[in-house]
Amino acid sequence: MNSYLCIAPDVKLGQDVKLSKFINLYGCEIGDESKIGAFVEIQKNAKVGRRCKISSHTFICEGVIIEDNVFVGHGVTFINDSYPRATTAEGRLQTEADWKVERTIVRKGASIGSGSTILANTTIGENAIVGAGSVITKDVPANSIVAGNPAKLLRYIDQPLETRG
């Protein structure tokens, strides 16, 4: 490793993982043959599966599980708190004890377009495609294409283009 990488000793890296410069990894797990782009942060208790591609400037927070063969575009942001606050009701800064991590799951073979935001408590289904710039506010069905803010179902992958409505 070199001085351009910030990888904590508790990170579990699989075999043949490719890491770009200027990344921050701590307490996470990355599967075999995955590729992590520049300026990516992956927090503790997050998991990236095997043969995934995580593009530059992406933020994967605690509680995110990304299964195998997933593509994550540039500048994708995951969120793990539906109601974030800086302070408690008493006015002191919040700590980990003051909130609960909310999960997000990206199923095998899914693709997330650049600039998307993935809210907490959602699942992106197997082989689904999320269009660039989308905001995921609810579960995405397997084998579907969604896009927009909030993301809406455009069609299923096995449907011809002319059947969408």
Side-chain angles (χ1 to χ4, degrees), residues 10-65:
D10 58 355
V11 172
K12 295 177 185 164
L13 292 177
Q15 292 185 346
D16 300 320
V17 171
K18 292 177 180 56
L19 302 173
S20 296
K21 292 181 179 180
F22 308 111
I23 60 173
N24 186 27
L25 309 177
Y26 55 98
C28 60
E29 183 177 335
I30 300 172
D32 298 343
E33 301 175 32
S34 285
K35 182 178 178 183
I36 309 299
F39 304 104
V40 168
E41 178 169 332
I42 305 175
Q43 294 185 328
K44 69 180 180 177
N45 302 319
K47 181 179 180 186
V48 174
R50 298 174 6 186
R51 292 177 306 282
C52 292
K53 181 178 180 187
I54 310 299
S55 301
S56 68
H57 298 87
T58 289
F59 175 70
I60 301 172
C61 55
E62 181 176 7
V64 172
I65 298 169

Side-chain angles (χ1 to χ4, degrees), residues 2-13:
N2 64 42
S3 61
Y4 297 112
L5 300 174
C6 184
I7 302 174
D10 58 355
V11 172
K12 295 177 185 164
L13 292 177

Side-chain angles (χ1 to χ4, degrees), residues 46-136:
K47 181 179 180 186
V48 174
R50 298 174 6 186
R51 292 177 306 282
C52 292
K53 181 178 180 187
I54 310 299
S55 301
S56 68
H57 298 87
T58 289
F59 175 70
I60 301 172
C61 55
E62 181 176 7
V64 172
I65 298 169
I66 297 174
E67 294 183 349
D68 298 342
N69 307 320
V70 168
F71 171 82
V72 178
H74 301 276
V76 172
T77 301
F78 289 85
I79 296 171
N80 63 2
D81 188 350
S82 296
Y83 302 97
R85 296 284 186 228
T87 58
T88 65
E90 299 79 36
R92 65 176 169 74
L93 280 177
Q94 279 195 354
T95 66
E96 287 186 31
D98 296 312
W99 66 284
K100 182 179 177 286
V101 171
E102 298 174 40
R103 294 263 176 229
T104 299
I105 300 172
V106 182
R107 297 281 183 211
K108 180 180 178 181
S111 293
I112 302 172
S114 295
S116 293
T117 300
I118 315 302
L119 298 186
N121 296 315
T122 58
T123 297
I124 297 174
E126 191 167 329
N127 298 315
I129 298 174
V130 174
S134 295
V135 177
I136 300 300

